[in-house]
Amino acid sequence: MVEDINNLFEELKVKKSEIFYITEVAEQYIVGVNGEKRIYQKNEYQPKKINYIYTEKDALNSMFWKIKNALITNNLQDEQIDDLRNKVESVIKRCVDVGYHAVGLEYISLLGQGRLATKSAKQEQIDEKVKTYLMETVRGYAMRSITCGKVYKDRVINNIIKPMQSLKFGEKASQIPIQEFVDRYNKSNFSVRDYDSQDDKLIKISPLDQILSGDLEKVKPKEKMI
């Protein structure tokens, strides 16, 4: 099983897409602002690049299930677990960098569940990384909202906050205040050209679909079993 994972990991290096960021295959992307209006332009390159993403994401998903199964069914030595943890973190960084947020969150859950802790990497240390990766993912959703003009706050709530409260990312992650996720999303910003300016002045803009208190009314902490 471990050897199979190693082979898959090597294949991933070959299948790494030519995508710099997932917004390259968005329907539109922001090119500037004119007063209060955001100016979006149709993306003509979407059809040519989308298959690159599917190929890489399929490979990432395949390896996720291999690793999860190995952690559950195999009696692994610390060295093997350390190697798997390094692979998991490598994939998470790739997902954060390129914007494969849903896939990356599954790998983050592997870190938070405690099965990848060893003497050389205590769970307390891993939990800090889990929080960092979750916050980077929240920012990734915010950037996509700004650059593509679509609603991504619902994904932060449904893919991160709700699962976090249900312990998907571990006990420690479930204690992160929701407001930290909200602030990370709402306060993220991206600089775009100001079309009202005669020079190349840039303006920082935040997501239009900011997370408000009303959006969180249905987000209730999961009661712990007694």
Side-chain angles (χ1 to χ4, degrees):
M1 176 67 75
V2 174
E3 183 63 30
D4 190 19
I5 293 172
N6 288 335
N7 291 335
L8 281 173
F9 190 73
E10 291 303 315
E11 288 179 16
L12 276 172
K13 296 178 182 178
V14 177
K15 291 181 178 179
K16 184 180 290 187
S17 76
E18 298 177 21
I19 301 297
F20 175 72
Y21 198 71
I22 199 167
T23 50
E24 289 183 59
V25 297
E27 294 177 1
Q28 61 181 16
Y29 59 91
I30 195 164
V31 292
V33 293
N34 191 351
E36 296 295 322
K37 183 179 180 181
R38 304 183 183 208
I39 304 171
Y40 290 90
Q41 181 173 304
K42 184 177 180 181
N43 185 1
E44 299 178 357
Y45 298 99
Q46 181 190 20
K48 297 180 181 180
K49 292 190 174 184
I50 201 163
N51 286 335
Y52 296 146
I53 285 179
Y54 286 140
T55 299
E56 185 177 6
K57 287 175 71 173
D58 285 347
L60 290 169
N61 282 321
S62 177
M63 194 172 81
F64 167 78
W65 290 108
K66 293 284 186 180
I67 292 177
K68 185 172 184 178
N69 188 46
L71 291 171
I72 294 173
T73 62
N74 288 258
N75 185 21
L76 303 175
Q77 301 298 314
D78 275 8
E79 287 186 2
Q80 293 173 305
I81 295 176
D82 286 337
D83 182 57
L84 287 180
R85 187 181 60 255
N86 289 334
K87 286 181 169 61
V88 166
E89 287 203 61
S90 178
V91 170
I92 292 172
K93 291 173 183 176
R94 170 64 181 167
C95 288
V96 168
D97 287 344
V98 81
Y100 297 156
H101 303 311
V103 178
L105 288 169
E106 294 302 318
Y107 278 89
I108 294 171
S109 73
L110 290 178
L111 288 181
Q113 294 301 319
R115 295 181 182 273
L116 287 167
T118 61
K119 292 180 180 179
S120 62
K122 305 294 185 183
Q123 189 59 39
E124 291 81 6
Q125 298 171 298
I126 295 175
D127 287 336
E128 290 300 317
K129 291 185 176 182
V130 168
K131 180 177 179 179
T132 297
Y133 293 140
L134 288 176
M135 291 300 170
E136 288 179 352
T137 304
V138 171
R139 183 180 184 279
Y141 278 132
M143 291 301 100
R144 289 172 69 179
S145 173
I146 296 170
T147 56
C148 299
K150 291 189 175 182
V151 173
Y152 281 96
K153 66 180 181 181
D154 293 342
R155 299 196 192 186
V156 174
I157 294 171
N158 295 321
N159 295 355
I160 299 178
I161 295 177
K162 287 183 179 179
M164 173 270 291
Q165 292 183 323
S166 299
L167 306 180
K168 176 173 181 175
F169 307 112
E171 179 69 32
K172 188 70 174 179
S174 70
Q175 300 169 13
I176 302 173
I178 292 178
Q179 192 61 45
E180 289 192 35
F181 292 107
V182 173
D183 289 343
R184 188 68 170 128
Y185 186 83
N186 289 349
K187 295 180 181 180
S188 293
N189 58 69
F190 187 76
S191 295
V192 293
R193 182 187 171 197
D194 178 10
Y195 275 78
D196 285 338
S197 175
Q198 296 298 318
D199 52 27
D200 289 328
K201 179 182 176 182
L202 296 177
I203 296 179
K204 289 183 179 180
I205 57 175
S206 298
L208 280 172
D209 62 323
Q210 296 201 340
I211 300 174
L212 306 175
S213 58
D215 299 318
L216 300 171
E217 289 179 356
K218 297 181 180 180
V219 181
K220 302 295 183 182
K222 184 178 181 180
E223 295 183 1
K224 293 184 178 180
M225 299 295 290
I226 300 176

